[in-house]
Amino acid sequence: MTNGYRVAVVGATGQVGSLMLELLRGRSFPASEIVAFASERSVGRELEGGLVVQGLSDESIQDFDLALFSAGGSTSGEWAPRFADAGAVVIDNSSRWRMHDDVPLVVSEVNPEALDHHRGIVANPNCSTMQMVVALKPLHEEAGIERLVISTYQAVSGTGRGAVEELLEQSHALLHEREIAPPSQYAHQIAFNALPHAGCFADGDDHTDEERKLINETRKILDDPEISISATCVRVPVITGHSEAVNVQTRDALSPERARELLAAAPGVTVLDDPDDALYPLAIDAVGKDDVFVGRIRRDPGHQRALDLWIVSDNLRKGAATNAVQLAELLHERGLIRAQAIGDRPAGSRA
Ligand SMILES: NC(=O)c1ccc[n+]([C@@H]2O[C@H](COP(=O)([O-])OP(=O)(O)OC[C@H]3O[C@@H](n4cnc5c(N)ncnc54)[C@H](OP(=O)(O)O)[C@@H]3O)[C@@H](O)[C@H]2O)c1
């Protein structure tokens, strides 16, 4: 690799896409050219930094080394295999390919070795899963996680730009004693509310898809199908920054002091844990930062081998864009960007 990679960012006008563009530049990723893609609505629009948005077509997707996707599951379903067939390695933020057996689901601090087996598409985990496993990894290595009971408090930016606008419009209307428009992003008013309904309910399932992602992706990333997991995902009127209350039951004994020590030494984790001084992670403080913040580390009074943690991170950064760019960096460092053979794609991934 001498002149740098030709990189596509698909969904470049969105929250995650625009941050990926910023991070590729800010972290000096070795790109010779970056091309921004979005929907037909945005074609021709000039983005910050002078990139002009392109549309996806069989011609426009040729000759890329790397393609970072954040344009929703259906766009990834259709276009990620096409980019991969044209020779690019795809890093996909959507849930479309995450649970596919041939697609590594990777968090840079947790299971980077999984990248070695990629076959053209690499998946970036769901934001709530991502921040949680960064904190759980050192505890799992030390004492083996047996069971997790998780409640999330998820920010609206996790739903997309439209949801942020809806929260702000509703808040503004209510503060000015005006009627709000019927909600379009969520089933109910999100302003001044908490919705036990993050994601959607698939037919016949009493869990939302967000809860299923948290359960299934955690097991895949930690490579341990035996961990039993209970999850309730709640959407709250926070713009950015997911918070999670996690009860961690381990196979071996683990004291809060030892957990604090392990977390303080873990890559990508910052411990903020001094309740007497009102010090614990807060969503508003996590915004714009790449770390996962952990606090309220304490013994569960109801179980000898369980701890309670409070885990917070910026869902658009570590929960999406930062990890995607970190995966690009790891692929580069491991010489995995041009190493794949055309035709060796995940089974069923051809468009
Ligand atoms: N937000 C998070 O916390 C988070 C975390 C992890 C993963 N993700 C995933 O990342 C993706 C994007 O999230 P976001 O929050 O950035 O959403 P967003 O702000 O709503 O942006 C969506 C992006 O997708 C583009 N797009 C939509 N339809 C398209 C099409 N048919 N062809 C090409 N581009 C299309 C949009 O382009 P236009 O501007 O032209 O419409 C825009 O660039 C989703 O898959 C989401 O699940 C998000």
Side-chain angles (χ1 to χ4, degrees):
M1 211 285 303
T2 46
N3 299 318
Y5 302 108
R6 202 160 172 260
V7 182
V9 175
V10 182
T13 52
Q15 302 178 107
V16 177
S18 50
L19 199 46
M20 290 196 298
L21 285 175
E22 188 187 315
L23 290 166
L24 284 168
R25 294 190 193 109
R27 294 169 71 104
S28 304
F29 184 77
S32 58
E33 187 189 1
I34 298 176
V35 179
F37 290 94
S39 78
E40 288 304 317
R41 293 180 289 276
S42 305
V43 170
R45 194 177 131 195
E46 190 173 326
L47 305 179
E48 235 182 85
L51 293 181
V52 175
V53 175
Q54 312 289 311
L56 292 163
S57 71
D58 284 335
E59 295 71 46
S60 66
I61 67 163
Q62 299 303 315
D63 302 323
F64 285 97
D65 300 302
L66 193 64
L68 276 58
F69 269 68
S70 64
S74 56
T75 306
S76 293
E78 186 180 350
W79 290 96
R82 294 196 197 182
F83 266 95
D85 278 340
V89 181
V90 172
I91 299 172
D92 182 29
N93 269 290
S94 82
S95 58
R96 177 64 181 80
W97 298 105
R98 288 180 193 149
M99 293 311 294
H100 199 292
D101 283 345
D102 291 341
V103 174
L105 179 64
V106 192
V107 182
S108 63
E109 299 87 349
V110 179
N111 61 338
E113 66 290 343
L115 288 172
D116 295 342
H117 310 292
H118 86 77
R119 295 172 69 187
I121 301 177
V122 172
N124 213 32
N126 169 264
C127 37
S128 357
T129 310
M130 183 98 71
Q131 66 182 59
M132 185 180 72
V133 294
V134 171
L136 292 183
K137 162 84 174 189
L139 310 184
H140 190 46
E141 275 186 337
E142 173 90 356
I145 293 171
E146 196 166 63
R147 175 169 155 82
L148 298 167
V149 181
I150 309 156
S151 300
T152 69
Y153 305 71
Q154 296 184 217
V156 296
S157 60
T159 311
R161 216 159 234 163
V164 176
E165 281 160 22
E166 186 156 297
L167 169 62
L168 295 177
E169 275 164 20
Q170 287 180 356
S171 306
H172 194 260
L174 292 165
L175 287 169
H176 290 84
E177 295 175 14
R178 285 201 316 266
E179 289 272 306
I180 61 163
S184 66
Q185 300 284 330
Y186 300 114
H188 304 278
Q189 172 188 319
I190 181 66
F192 308 105
N193 209 354
L195 309 178
H197 183 173
C200 38
F201 290 100
D203 269 352
D205 196 352
D206 56 4
H207 283 65
T208 65
D209 58 349
E210 192 76 6
E211 289 158 353
R212 293 281 174 211
K213 288 178 205 170
L214 198 47
I215 296 167
N216 298 332
E217 294 182 23
T218 299
R219 291 183 179 140
K220 180 169 175 176
I221 297 162
L222 294 178
D223 194 21
D224 191 341
E226 301 297 310
I227 302 176
S228 61
I229 306 177
S230 160
T232 304
C233 292
V234 180
R235 191 71 64 186
V236 293
V238 167
I239 292 178
T240 295
H242 287 352
S243 306
E244 301 173 326
V246 184
N247 181 271
V248 187
Q249 185 178 315
T250 50
R251 296 185 184 116
D252 302 329
L254 180 64
S255 68
E257 295 70 29
R258 178 66 182 143
R260 207 170 281 119
E261 210 173 87
L262 291 165
L263 287 162
V269 176
T270 297
V271 174
L272 299 174
D273 196 15
D274 186 0
D276 288 344
D277 210 17
L279 181 68
Y280 30 70
L282 295 175
I284 53 170
D285 294 338
V287 173
K289 302 188 179 123
D290 289 317
D291 262 12
V292 171
F293 299 89
V294 187
R296 301 292 321 277
I297 303 164
R298 63 203 190 276
R299 164 81 54 225
D300 168 359
H303 198 288
Q304 287 261 319
R305 281 179 290 102
L307 300 177
D308 283 300
L309 311 177
W310 179 248
I311 304 172
V312 178
S313 194
D314 182 327
N315 51 297
L316 299 175
R317 290 185 82 98
K318 185 60 194 173
T322 301
N323 196 66
V325 174
Q326 287 170 321
L327 296 188
E329 292 167 349
L330 284 170
L331 286 165
H332 162 59
E333 283 160 28
R334 291 172 172 241
L336 291 168
I337 295 187
R338 285 176 189 159
Q340 52 163 348
I342 304 287
D344 188 25
R345 306 283 172 239
S349 73
R350 284 172 183 279

